[in-house]
Amino acid sequence: MAKRRLRTGPTAALPAKPSQADLLRLVRLADPEAREDGADIVAVDVRMHAPVEAEPELVGGELEQVWACRVVAEGPLPFDYFDRYLAEGIAFRLGGLAVCRGEVTDPADSDRGGPAVILPERPTPDELRAVLSGLDDSPKADVGDESDSDDSATDDTAPEDATTADATPPEAGTGATVDTETDAKAETDAKTEAEASVDAETEAAAEATEVAEVAEAAKVAAAPGDDINPDDFLYTVGDIRVLVVPEKGRPPAVQELLPFATELTAIELRGDDPEKVGALALRLADALNGLIVDRWRFRIDAVEDLLPPG
């Protein structure tokens, strides 16, 4: 294969020659129906050519030995960048580098994306908040929680005041004062109820705003695995950020969900510790009957699948 085609990519540049059986097993994480076609592997309408030996200069000398697998789209992609993600996902799992349009990247160093839990239907904000807050040993979801300070707004000190009044009868001539204090208390209670009503309306408005933010975030969400504005994240669990967006396209890795859904939903997770993020993803998938994919839309079944080899 011409060097310029390898450099154009998408190409997975690997440090050792993989067997066709190993490549097929990995490609099937992205498309369970991937098949062999001679020495190549075909996933949907994308062909991964058999590995060929290439010069180290293909990756700027970053690898002493290079075996290159070029990926070529032969028809419509199931979602944007599927060919590029296939090359990057294979490179990540085999300790290699990715080459696309002359640019060499190390998928293991990428901090642009994280795993996602794919669901056949979108959870409501209340449902997701309840799941996030109810996971054992997980910090409470920070965004959209019900306030725990409402009790202070309705805290009534009347019992203590009444005890004092009973223990110390008013002196002669203070009846008017007692009546005035009673009226004042009634007025204060009325104000408290009014403030509580305002608080309830404010909380309802905040809830509506949150729902609107979810919808807006869905409109501007980037392609799977691309950078997402930190301001878009609607929930946090410890140091893990959570965003609910429509899943663009139809990743073949989660095709078993499609007979039951016309539009998939992705719960995108971001965090600095891939093991913690992966553990939360597994628990969310179990609680919401979803499937997990990594940033390249490869199927994930264990936390270790999110970690670079060795």
Side-chain angles (χ1 to χ4, degrees):
M1 183 175 294
K3 292 181 181 180
R4 62 180 179 80
R5 291 188 178 180
L6 293 176
R7 192 173 301 279
T8 299
T11 297
L14 310 174
K17 183 179 181 179
S19 68
Q20 188 173 27
D22 285 342
L23 278 178
L24 181 61
R25 175 179 58 84
L26 294 176
V27 172
R28 281 179 172 167
L29 296 176
D31 175 14
E33 297 183 358
R35 58 184 174 81
E36 296 174 322
D37 184 15
D40 301 339
I41 295 174
V42 176
V44 193
D45 285 325
V46 172
R47 178 178 298 273
M48 173 168 280
H49 287 278
V52 295
E53 192 168 10
E55 297 296 327
E57 65 180 5
L58 176 67
V59 291
E62 293 294 322
L63 299 175
E64 293 182 2
Q65 188 178 26
V66 177
W67 288 88
C69 298
R70 184 166 183 258
V71 179
V72 179
E74 297 182 331
L77 299 179
F79 63 92
D80 291 344
Y81 313 116
F82 177 66
D83 54 346
R84 191 189 81 191
Y85 286 172
L86 190 60
E88 292 180 353
I90 294 295
F92 173 80
R93 284 164 173 77
L94 294 178
L97 303 172
V99 183
C100 188
R101 297 179 182 176
E103 180 182 1
V104 179
T105 58
D106 184 350
D109 290 341
S110 177
D111 59 357
R112 293 171 52 199
V117 179
I118 309 299
L119 306 175
E121 60 183 37
R122 186 188 191 92
T124 67
D126 282 343
E127 289 171 339
L128 181 57
R129 186 187 307 113
V131 171
L132 291 172
S133 299
L135 293 175
D136 294 339
D137 302 324
S138 290
K140 196 173 184 181
D142 291 339
V143 178
D145 283 341
E146 297 292 336
S147 174
D148 294 327
S149 62
D150 289 347
D151 291 342
S152 62
T154 58
D155 196 13
D156 195 348
T157 58
E160 182 179 351
D161 291 344
T163 301
T164 303
D166 291 340
T168 309
E171 298 178 359
T174 60
T177 302
V178 174
D179 291 341
T180 300
E181 290 176 351
T182 300
D183 292 342
K185 183 179 182 305
E187 182 178 349
T188 300
D189 290 344
K191 289 182 178 179
T192 301
E193 292 179 3
E195 290 171 353
S197 177
V198 171
D199 289 342
E201 292 177 0
T202 301
E203 184 176 348
E207 185 78 14
T209 299
E210 180 186 345
V211 174
E213 287 175 347
V214 172
E216 186 61 26
K219 293 179 182 178
V220 302
D226 284 352
D227 287 334
I228 294 177
N229 189 325
D231 294 336
D232 290 339
F233 284 92
L234 300 178
Y235 306 88
T236 58
V237 179
D239 57 357
I240 301 174
R241 295 163 295 160
V242 180
L243 175 64
V244 183
V245 295
E247 172 64 22
K248 294 189 175 182
R250 295 181 170 230
V254 296
Q255 62 184 349
E256 64 190 77
L257 296 177
L258 293 174
F260 311 103
T262 56
E263 186 174 309
L264 299 175
T265 292
I267 301 179
E268 299 278 353
L269 304 178
R270 300 290 186 274
D272 295 330
D273 187 335
E275 293 190 48
K276 289 172 61 176
V277 173
L280 179 59
L282 286 168
R283 296 165 78 182
L284 281 173
D286 183 62
L288 297 171
N289 299 315
L291 298 175
I292 308 171
V293 294
D294 63 14
R295 61 159 300 199
W296 302 287
R297 271 27 191 183
F298 279 56
R299 176 78 174 265
I300 295 297
D301 293 312
V303 173
E304 293 73 21
D305 297 337
L306 294 170
L307 306 178

